[in-house]
Amino acid sequence: MNDALIQAQDLSRSYRTGREQISVLRGLSLDLRRGEAVAVIGPSGSGKSTLLNLLNGLLAPDSGQLRLFGRDRSQLNDDDWAELRRTRIATLFQDGNLIPTLTVARNIVFRAGLAGLQEHDGEILLERLGIADTAHRYPDQLSGGQRQRAALACAFVMRPELILADEPTGSLDYATAKRVAPLFFDAIRERALGALIVTHNPELAQRCDQVLELREGALRPWDSALSS
Ligand SMILES: Nc1ncnc2c1ncn2[C@@H]1O[C@H](COP(=O)(O)OP(=O)(O)O)[C@@H](O)[C@H]1O
Ligand SMILES: [Mg+2]
């Protein structure tokens, strides 16, 4: 079986607003294999969220090559991308991705159903994340940190092969953030999940196979000696 989840080469992406064109990604390359975790750091506005949305098909690159699960993006139509997002690629957006009219428990059942799963471990996930008591609440009845954890449970319950996480611990205090790391790393070990994690949390970043910095539109190995 092909181990490659993401093969990105020389990706570029800009945005046009009115007359202005801003070039966000400029020749970005990235490889991610099954069983591998890559942390991405970079200042606000450097293009981290743009990158994740190129990888889940919500945005298209202006140029460059992108293969997912060994398939070239030129061979993927909108239905293929939707199918990938339902069943194989979980994106954890910064602002959470819960359906506001469903309780946490129903959000979980819904996500497992979309992924075609008859059974799910949602209750265990909520327990592990310390939010079992929120199962029957609606998203607007949760704190920011509880919402973020509920979104994590929804992402993991679909048993994705690739997870793209945008600051998954951004709303969590230190102790709570510590509970999140095992979710990623157990799934990476047990199910050969691949993870691309935008994070500034050292607990998460240090356990990744690589830490890359997004700077000037491209990814490069992060040199901790140069920061600070
Ligand atoms: N839809 C959009 N239209 C125009 N500019 C955008 C859009 N989305 C993002 N940008 C700009 O692109 C740059 C990168 O944004 P983003 O990918 O969200 O960065 P990050 O996630 O690293 O903070 C920023 O300058 C942002 O203002
Ligand atoms: Mg962002």
Side-chain angles (χ1 to χ4, degrees), residues 128-181:
R128 282 181 73 178
L129 288 163
I131 50 164
D133 57 334
T134 66
H136 300 294
R137 292 201 225 154
Y138 291 89
D140 68 357
Q141 298 170 323
L142 305 179
S143 72
Q146 289 170 332
R147 242 192 324 271
Q148 190 155 44
R149 281 176 281 166
L152 267 159
C154 284
F156 279 95
V157 85
M158 64 177 269
R159 303 201 144 240
E161 292 165 67
L162 170 62
I163 191 155
L164 306 170
D166 208 346
E167 314 241 17
T169 61
S171 314
L172 306 180
D173 58 77
Y174 179 77
T176 311
K178 261 185 105 124
R179 303 174 83 130
V180 168

Side-chain angles (χ1 to χ4, degrees), residues 80-95:
D80 296 326
W81 277 113
E83 164 88 14
L84 286 178
R85 287 190 295 267
R86 261 196 318 271
T87 60
R88 302 177 77 182
I89 304 175
T91 310
L92 267 156
F93 293 99
Q94 246 166 328
D95 46 11

Side-chain angles (χ1 to χ4, degrees), residues 44-45 47-50 94 166-167 198:
S44 177
K48 304 180 299 296
S49 298
T50 300
Q94 246 166 328
D166 208 346
E167 314 241 17
V198 170

Side-chain angles (χ1 to χ4, degrees), residues 15 22-26 42-50 214 216-217:
Y15 293 103
I22 59 158
S23 160
V24 178
L25 303 181
R26 286 171 268 167
S44 177
S46 58
K48 304 180 299 296
S49 298
T50 300
L214 184 48
E216 291 160 12

